[in-house]
Amino acid sequence: MPGYDSSQFPAVAVTVDLVVLTVRDDALQALVIRRAEEPYRGRWALPGGFVLPDEGLDAAAARELHEETGLSGSDVHVEQLASYGAPGRDPRMRVVTVAYLALAPDLPTPSAGSDAADAQWLPVADLQAARRSLAFDHADLLRDGVERARAKLEYTPLAAAFCPPEFTIAELRHVYEVVWGDPIDARNFHRKVSTTAGFVTETGETSARDGGRPARLYRRGPVQLLNPPLMRPR
Amino acid sequence: MPGYDSSQFPAVAVTVDLVVLTVRDDALQALVIRRAEEPYRGRWALPGGFVLPDEGLDAAAARELHEETGLSGSDVHVEQLASYGAPGRDPRMRVVTVAYLALAPDLPTPSAGSDAADAQWLPVADLQAARRSLAFDHADLLRDGVERARAKLEYTPLAAAFCPPEFTIAELRHVYEVVWGDPIDARNFHRKVSTTAGFVTETGETSARDGGRPARLYRRGPVQLLNPPLMRPR
DNA sequence: GCAAAAGTGTTCTTCGTACACCCATGG
DNA sequence: CCATGGGTGTACGAAGAACACTTTTGC
């Protein structure tokens, strides 16, 4: 990079795209927007848009998330995922996109109150089964985002990002079961979560009932890394 | 992104930068180039450069690596690290860089035979200790790259990327000790590596001596993921 | 009381850690 | 034979897996 001519550089547009995941109706779901214009008219696309001239990448991701979903950064975990810049990925021009992964709780207002009224949640399994349902290379972004989310549940307490601020251990377990697609022993999971220092903190309240003994309510704990991690069934 | 005007977009340059790491002289070292021009004249910079108009990101990283070090992709493990695009990170213009992490063996021809004759290996510890020795935000890239490398040694067989094609288990252990900065029990490490299926494959040869009983030589095994992982001392 | 879900205790086994011990070579 | 590093065996303890069992609620 030393001594390059700052008036002469390849014309590239930079965007951010968001893989926004949630757990709804016993399924891992992603936020998608139906494209109204060519190319890929009628296909689903991930929310995203240009990075503004004086805006950092994280800020652009947070802004797009807010514009397209009404979600603010404090509700949702957002982290950078990866960048995608294959020359032909957008037929109109050279676009390099920085993808972000966002994990959101299943909010009462799913995706309303925003510009994109046509944004909606769809099960990841459906999007991945229907070949070519996603525009551009967004199937790649989705695959990588889901893979990252699955991996991160193992060694971080991020499953709580899919839960409301207060949650029961059973709700947390349900997140793991949906994201990993495997049943988990409730008893061992309970012990693991409640004995790992800093994973969750007890509120003292108990939950609304759904059948049996009331469950204690917890909030996210202070730790960022689970050590030792939770083991995913192989 | 639906329906944007492809002739009107913010002027952003896209580059790739490389965090190239190796293990040399009992230290984790990074490849750096002394800057001859302003800004940051005289400081160290990571190798990198513009992404060409019809070039993918991975291809740009591989090209820059080859141009600046003579290393080809088959010798070295290269993976995307993260992207950095803070508005002021390059004072001349808006530059978004896609950082790559490369892990190279300690080659006999360190960084010669290339454009950048001023490229050289420096210990990561020295670069991180000397505040402001690195140009731009390259200290961030280096920190993130080192962190990624340390983490990846735990759950992938990538330590072998720091070794020549054939290596002894002691050489592999030395990589772990240098990258993690902690001594490892040679006996348990030997058992772990040799009993984890697919981590390494025996060649049948034995190594040149350095004191004791000759060591068997191994090559990289076929597995991509270590399961269970190696535990890093905490 | 019964069903259902929360939460605890116990056993078995696996695996990391520590370290004693043997092997193969050079000097 | 001794020093040096390579490689194996074994005992201990921590932690996951499986599951019996108790607790607390609604009906």
Side-chain angles (χ1 to χ4, degrees):
Chain A
M1 189 197 297
Y4 61 80
D5 178 353
S6 42
S7 67
Q8 187 75 5
F9 60 91
V12 182
V14 176
T15 60
V16 292
D17 286 318
L18 288 146
V19 178
V20 190
L21 300 178
T22 196
V23 172
R24 274 171 76 91
D25 305 332
D26 300 339
L28 183 64
Q29 307 213 8
L31 189 68
V32 289
I33 298 173
R34 193 178 285 282
R35 283 186 58 79
E37 311 284 336
E38 293 294 344
Y40 299 104
R41 177 185 210 131
R43 303 269 190 88
W44 299 111
L46 299 176
F50 284 112
V51 176
L52 300 181
D54 286 308
E55 185 182 49
L57 301 176
D58 293 359
R63 175 180 54 75
E64 290 290 344
L65 181 67
H66 184 72
E67 283 178 10
E68 312 223 44
T69 69
L71 296 167
S72 69
S74 54
D75 304 329
V76 187
H77 170 86
V78 181
E79 66 179 48
Q80 194 183 299
L81 179 59
S83 295
Y84 301 79
R89 60 178 295 277
D90 187 322
R92 293 165 293 185
M93 63 184 303
R94 184 73 198 273
V95 180
V96 169
T97 196
V98 183
Y100 278 76
L101 174 65
L103 309 183
D106 182 11
L107 298 159
T109 58
S111 59
S114 61
D115 303 346
D118 46 352
Q120 68 177 86
W121 296 108
L122 283 184
V124 166
D126 295 358
L127 287 167
Q128 292 183 330
R131 191 72 61 228
R132 310 183 63 74
S133 64
L134 282 162
F136 308 106
D137 52 1
H138 288 187
D140 294 336
L141 278 66
L142 180 65
R143 171 179 36 75
D144 295 346
V146 169
E147 190 180 323
R148 169 83 66 92
R150 289 198 171 121
K152 279 225 151 188
L153 291 208
E154 290 194 58
Y155 59 93
T156 71
L158 269 182
F162 287 116
C163 296
E166 301 199 345
F167 52 88
T168 67
I169 295 197
E171 287 166 350
L172 192 65
R173 174 167 51 84
H174 185 240
V175 168
Y176 278 92
E177 291 179 325
V178 166
V179 176
W180 285 349
D182 284 300
I184 296 175
D185 185 284
R187 288 88 47 111
N188 291 332
F189 182 83
H190 188 283
R191 191 199 336 275
K192 174 78 182 179
V193 170
S194 56
T195 60
T196 299
F199 192 168
V200 294
T201 60
E202 208 166 334
T203 65
E205 306 293 309
T206 56
S207 82
R209 303 294 329 299
D210 56 345
R213 167 176 170 179
R216 297 186 264 227
L217 283 170
Y218 296 84
R219 286 187 229 276
R220 289 201 52 178
V223 302
Q224 305 293 324
L225 235 55
L226 258 33
N227 192 252
L230 270 78
M231 291 303 195
R232 163 160 45 162
R234 308 273 174 185
Chain B
M1 190 198 295
Y4 62 80
D5 178 354
S6 43
S7 68
Q8 187 75 4
F9 60 89
V12 182
V14 177
T15 59
V16 292
D17 286 316
L18 288 147
V19 178
V20 190
L21 300 178
T22 196
V23 172
R24 271 173 78 92
D25 304 332
D26 299 340
L28 183 65
Q29 307 213 7
L31 189 68
V32 288
I33 298 173
R34 192 179 285 281
R35 283 185 58 77
E37 311 284 334
E38 291 295 343
Y40 298 104
R41 177 186 211 129
R43 302 269 190 90
W44 299 110
L46 299 175
F50 285 111
V51 176
L52 300 181
D54 285 309
E55 183 182 51
L57 300 175
D58 294 359
R63 175 181 52 77
E64 290 289 344
L65 182 67
H66 184 72
E67 285 179 10
E68 313 223 43
T69 69
L71 296 168
S72 70
S74 55
D75 305 328
V76 187
H77 171 85
V78 181
E79 66 179 47
Q80 195 184 300
L81 179 59
S83 295
Y84 301 80
R89 61 179 293 279
D90 187 321
R92 293 164 295 187
M93 61 183 304
R94 185 73 198 272
V95 180
V96 170
T97 196
V98 183
Y100 279 77
L101 175 64
L103 309 183
D106 181 11
L107 298 159
T109 58
S111 58
S114 61
D115 303 348
D118 45 353
Q120 68 176 89
W121 297 108
L122 283 183
V124 165
D126 295 357
L127 287 167
Q128 291 183 330
R131 192 72 60 228
R132 312 182 64 73
S133 65
L134 281 162
F136 307 107
D137 53 1
H138 288 186
D140 294 336
L141 278 66
L142 180 64
R143 170 178 37 74
D144 295 346
V146 169
E147 191 180 323
R148 170 82 66 92
R150 290 197 171 122
K152 280 225 151 188
L153 291 209
E154 290 195 57
Y155 59 94
T156 71
L158 268 181
F162 287 116
C163 296
E166 302 200 344
F167 52 88
T168 66
I169 295 200
E171 286 165 351
L172 192 66
R173 175 168 50 84
H174 186 241
V175 168
Y176 278 92
E177 291 179 326
V178 166
V179 175
W180 284 349
D182 284 298
I184 295 174
D185 186 285
R187 287 89 44 110
N188 291 331
F189 181 83
H190 187 282
R191 190 198 338 273
K192 175 79 181 177
V193 170
S194 56
T195 61
T196 298
F199 193 167
V200 293
T201 59
E202 206 166 336
T203 64
E205 306 293 308
T206 56
S207 81
R209 305 293 330 300
D210 56 345
R213 168 177 169 178
R216 295 177 234 187
L217 283 170
Y218 296 85
R219 286 187 229 275
R220 289 200 54 177
V223 302
Q224 305 293 323
L225 236 54
L226 257 31
N227 193 252
L230 271 78
M231 293 300 197
R232 160 158 50 159
R234 308 273 175 186

Short mmCIF file of all heavy atoms in Angstrom, two decimals, chain B residues 27 67 87 92 106 143 173 215:
data_model
loop_
_atom_site.label_atom_id
_atom_site.label_comp_id
_atom_site.label_asym_id
_atom_site.label_seq_id
_atom_site.Cartn_x
_atom_site.Cartn_y
_atom_site.Cartn_z
N ALA B 27 9.70 -17.55 18.84
CA ALA B 27 8.78 -16.42 19.02
C ALA B 27 7.77 -16.40 17.88
O ALA B 27 8.08 -16.80 16.75
CB ALA B 27 9.54 -15.10 19.05
N GLU B 67 3.10 -11.41 -4.11
CA GLU B 67 3.92 -10.26 -4.52
C GLU B 67 4.89 -9.84 -3.44
O GLU B 67 6.03 -9.48 -3.71
CB GLU B 67 3.01 -9.07 -4.88
CG GLU B 67 2.31 -9.21 -6.20
CD GLU B 67 1.40 -8.02 -6.48
OE1 GLU B 67 1.48 -7.01 -5.73
OE2 GLU B 67 0.63 -8.09 -7.45
N PRO B 87 -13.98 5.57 9.60
CA PRO B 87 -13.83 6.66 8.62
C PRO B 87 -12.43 7.27 8.56
O PRO B 87 -11.93 7.55 7.48
CB PRO B 87 -14.88 7.67 9.09
CG PRO B 87 -15.91 6.85 9.76
CD PRO B 87 -15.17 5.73 10.43
N ARG B 92 -5.82 9.82 4.05
CA ARG B 92 -5.90 10.32 2.67
C ARG B 92 -7.29 10.17 2.07
O ARG B 92 -7.73 10.99 1.28
CB ARG B 92 -4.89 9.55 1.79
CG ARG B 92 -3.46 9.83 2.14
CD ARG B 92 -2.55 8.80 1.55
NE ARG B 92 -2.79 7.48 2.11
CZ ARG B 92 -2.03 6.42 1.85
NH1 ARG B 92 -1.01 6.51 1.02
NH2 ARG B 92 -2.29 5.26 2.41
N ASP B 106 8.38 -21.51 8.98
CA ASP B 106 9.61 -20.71 9.03
C ASP B 106 10.48 -21.13 7.86
O ASP B 106 11.25 -22.07 7.94
CB ASP B 106 10.32 -20.95 10.35
CG ASP B 106 11.58 -20.11 10.45
OD1 ASP B 106 11.76 -19.22 9.60
OD2 ASP B 106 12.36 -20.34 11.38
N ARG B 143 -3.58 -7.60 16.46
CA ARG B 143 -4.16 -8.15 17.69
C ARG B 143 -5.24 -9.18 17.35
O ARG B 143 -5.24 -10.29 17.89
CB ARG B 143 -4.76 -7.02 18.53
CG ARG B 143 -5.59 -7.51 19.71
CD ARG B 143 -6.13 -6.36 20.57
NE ARG B 143 -6.54 -5.17 19.85
CZ ARG B 143 -7.63 -5.02 19.13
NH1 ARG B 143 -8.47 -6.03 18.98
NH2 ARG B 143 -7.90 -3.88 18.54
N ARG B 173 4.58 -29.38 19.03
CA ARG B 173 4.37 -28.90 20.40
C ARG B 173 5.02 -27.54 20.60
O ARG B 173 4.45 -26.66 21.25
CB ARG B 173 4.95 -29.92 21.39
CG ARG B 173 4.90 -29.45 22.84
CD ARG B 173 5.19 -30.59 23.79
NE ARG B 173 6.39 -31.33 23.44
CZ ARG B 173 7.63 -30.98 23.79
NH1 ARG B 173 7.81 -29.90 24.52
NH2 ARG B 173 8.65 -31.71 23.43
N ALA B 215 13.13 -38.84 16.48
CA ALA B 215 11.68 -38.68 16.53
C ALA B 215 11.07 -39.09 15.20
O ALA B 215 11.67 -38.88 14.14
CB ALA B 215 11.32 -37.24 16.85
#
